[in-house]
Amino acid sequence: MRDGPISQAQAQRFKQLVWPLMPMVLRTAQYLTRHSQQAEDLAQETMVKAMRGIDSYQDDTNLKAWLMTILRRTHIDQLRVGRNRPDEVSVASDVLEVTVPDSSKAAGEFDEQWEEPEALMGRFEDDAIIKALGELPEDIRWTLLLVDVEKMEQVEVAAILNVAVGTIKSRTHRGRSMLRDRLYQLALQRGWVAARESTP
Amino acid sequence: MNDNTQNKLDQATSARLGKLASKPVDTSHLAEHLQTLMRDVVQQDEPQTLRIPTWMRWRPMSAAAMILITVMLGLLVMQNTTQPVIAAPAGLAQINHEVSGDMAEQMKVTSVEQANAMLAAQAKGAMPVPDLPGQMQSCCLHEHKGVTLTCVSLQRNGHLITVALADGKKLHCPEGETVIRDGREFCTHTVDKVNMVMAHQGDRWLCVMGSADMEELLSVAQDIAM
């Protein structure tokens, strides 16, 4: 992407179209990095790329998907050069440390034990959800961020993540189960639910 | 676990995640950074303009000023040319002398059609000659205060009368004695023993002049349909 000046028209188009989506970009960056400064760096780089590449956006196409694609690529680039390491946690740092379930166990280990899932889910504060989300593998996290947080169509998400729609479906299902496992363990720690033997 | 239970779990999870989309974020710092950046990258075109030497900047300014002055002068000229002028009785009397004295380049005509055909051939847009109450002798074009007059020499009751016609938007009657006949307003003047009856109606200006008395001229003017 060129570093030269941009025209007034480009700046105006960027302001008109992309600027309103800045909260979405920053929020997603925060959920991805769980580090406020890194999130801001990621969001800023994404917005700058969007500004310089505004001519590549075609009207009548999905602007959100276009912007999320830039965000994802920027995030990958930053991870490659060692910035935005997910182990640097500051957002949601006050949340109780959760014992990460044994990866050998299947996702959805605690699904049988969820009673009144809506009520229990509602008891978790945002930071707890974000932290649990941050512990998921990168591809799963991206999928849940786009499908469940941003409520994007699975076809759009498949295009952004450059995978098949079927992959998105399975990742979504698996990701939700993995998230629930982490949250259920947190609920156990907090004494919201009683420990019991899981069904074999 | 049955599908129904699994669906409920998925829906609850999705709904809870969806609430993260409405979590407020403080974009002020990021917005400020981007604003500054945008100012820099968008304004990079500006310094080149600022580096232009002062003397070079005067040239386009001078050209702009010249254009402005030209336009203003043009508007002034247009205003002057489009505004009607007042007919001068003395000048009209001179025209009468020339027409009646056969001093002007006159075309001998005997009918309105003939007169109009010859006038049209001589000058595009010449004021056409209407039906006239008398024997046509000749016609010609004259210029009076920048306005083209169609002049016709007319013989009536033993008097040689000059009828002059012009575009009423360009030529108006000077103030004079006003006479009302059949609801029409005429103004009369006498200069160098030349009597004149002028009328301004619609888009036409008319002057009937000659050595005949004012009543005779008024009668002729009355008979000309405007």
Side-chain angles (χ1 to χ4, degrees), chain A residues 5-6 8 11 14-15 19 22-23 26-27 30-31 40 43-44 47-48 51-52 111-112 114 117-118 121 124-127 129-130 133 148-149 151 173 176 179-180, chain B residues 1-2 5-6 8-27 29-35 37-38 40-46:
Chain A
I6 62 164
Q8 288 280 355
F14 168 77
K15 270 252 175 175
W19 195 269
M22 194 195 302
L26 182 57
R27 189 168 43 236
Q30 284 177 349
Y31 298 162
E40 196 144 317
Q44 186 177 317
M47 293 294 276
V48 170
M51 179 172 65
R52 293 195 180 283
D111 275 359
E112 295 281 356
W114 280 76
E118 206 172 324
M121 277 288 179
F124 294 105
E125 70 278 16
D126 284 346
D127 285 349
I129 305 282
I130 294 163
L133 197 58
D148 285 333
V149 178
K151 303 293 181 200
H173 178 72
R176 286 169 183 166
L179 187 78
R180 280 196 297 271
Chain B
M1 177 179 280
N2 61 40
T5 310
Q6 189 66 48
K8 275 187 178 176
L9 278 172
D10 273 2
Q11 280 173 11
T13 312
S14 181
R16 183 63 189 87
L17 282 169
K19 286 180 183 172
L20 292 180
S22 55
K23 185 175 161 66
V25 285
D26 179 12
T27 56
H29 198 234
L30 176 60
E32 197 181 323
H33 265 288
L34 286 171
Q35 287 277 19
L37 189 76
M38 281 181 77
D40 291 345
V41 294
V42 175
Q43 284 181 347
Q44 276 182 11
D45 293 338
E46 297 294 322

Side-chain angles (χ1 to χ4, degrees), chain A residues 130-191:
Chain A
I130 294 163
K131 180 166 170 40
L133 197 58
E135 289 168 354
L136 302 181
E138 192 75 12
D139 53 351
I140 299 276
R141 193 184 335 159
W142 262 106
T143 305
L144 292 187
L145 279 173
L146 297 175
V147 173
D148 285 333
V149 178
E150 294 303 329
K151 303 293 181 200
M152 296 179 76
E153 295 294 328
Q154 290 187 332
V155 180
E156 294 168 352
V157 177
I160 294 168
L161 301 182
N162 200 26
V163 291
V165 178
T167 307
I168 296 301
K169 284 180 182 172
S170 63
R171 277 186 192 175
T172 304
H173 178 72
R174 182 173 165 76
R176 286 169 183 166
S177 294
M178 291 171 79
L179 187 78
R180 280 196 297 271
D181 285 351
R182 280 154 180 78
L183 292 173
Y184 196 83
Q185 285 201 323
L186 183 59
L188 280 170
Q189 285 180 11
R190 291 177 174 180

Side-chain angles (χ1 to χ4, degrees), chain A residues 8-188:
Chain A
Q8 288 280 355
Q10 286 173 315
Q12 198 173 348
R13 190 161 181 247
F14 168 77
K15 270 252 175 175
Q16 189 186 346
L17 297 173
V18 184
W19 195 269
L21 296 177
M22 194 195 302
M24 180 195 76
V25 172
L26 182 57
R27 189 168 43 236
T28 307
Q30 284 177 349
Y31 298 162
L32 283 168
T33 63
R34 291 182 295 140
H35 190 285
S36 53
Q37 188 53 53
Q38 287 176 357
E40 196 144 317
D41 288 348
L42 175 58
Q44 186 177 317
E45 202 167 325
T46 301
M47 293 294 276
V48 170
K49 283 181 179 175
M51 179 172 65
R52 293 195 180 283
I54 190 67
D55 288 343
S56 70
Y57 170 69
Q58 295 177 333
D59 288 328
D60 302 327
T61 58
N62 193 325
L63 177 64
K64 207 167 156 181
W66 178 78
L67 195 55
M68 281 299 193
T69 304
I70 297 174
L71 176 65
R72 181 169 175 267
R73 286 176 186 165
T74 308
H75 186 226
I76 290 170
D77 289 345
Q78 290 192 348
L79 287 174
R80 275 186 190 146
V81 294
R83 291 150 68 190
N84 289 2
R85 290 205 172 278
D87 56 338
E88 295 176 35
V89 178
S90 69
V91 172
S93 58
D94 54 331
V95 177
L96 285 171
E97 285 300 318
V98 176
T99 309
V100 179
D102 186 347
S103 58
S104 63
K105 289 181 182 177
E109 183 191 352
F110 300 99
D111 275 359
E112 295 281 356
Q113 297 172 31
W114 280 76
E115 290 172 6
E116 296 183 34
E118 206 172 324
L120 185 56
M121 277 288 179
R123 293 186 69 178
F124 294 105
E125 70 278 16
D126 284 346
D127 285 349
I129 305 282
I130 294 163
K131 180 166 170 40
L133 197 58
E135 289 168 354
L136 302 181
E138 192 75 12
D139 53 351
I140 299 276
R141 193 184 335 159
W142 262 106
T143 305
L144 292 187
L145 279 173
L146 297 175
V147 173
D148 285 333
V149 178
E150 294 303 329
K151 303 293 181 200
M152 296 179 76
E153 295 294 328
Q154 290 187 332
V155 180
E156 294 168 352
V157 177
I160 294 168
L161 301 182
N162 200 26
V163 291
V165 178
T167 307
I168 296 301
K169 284 180 182 172
S170 63
R171 277 186 192 175
T172 304
H173 178 72
R174 182 173 165 76
R176 286 169 183 166
S177 294
M178 291 171 79
L179 187 78
R180 280 196 297 271
D181 285 351
R182 280 154 180 78
L183 292 173
Y184 196 83
Q185 285 201 323
L186 183 59
L188 280 170

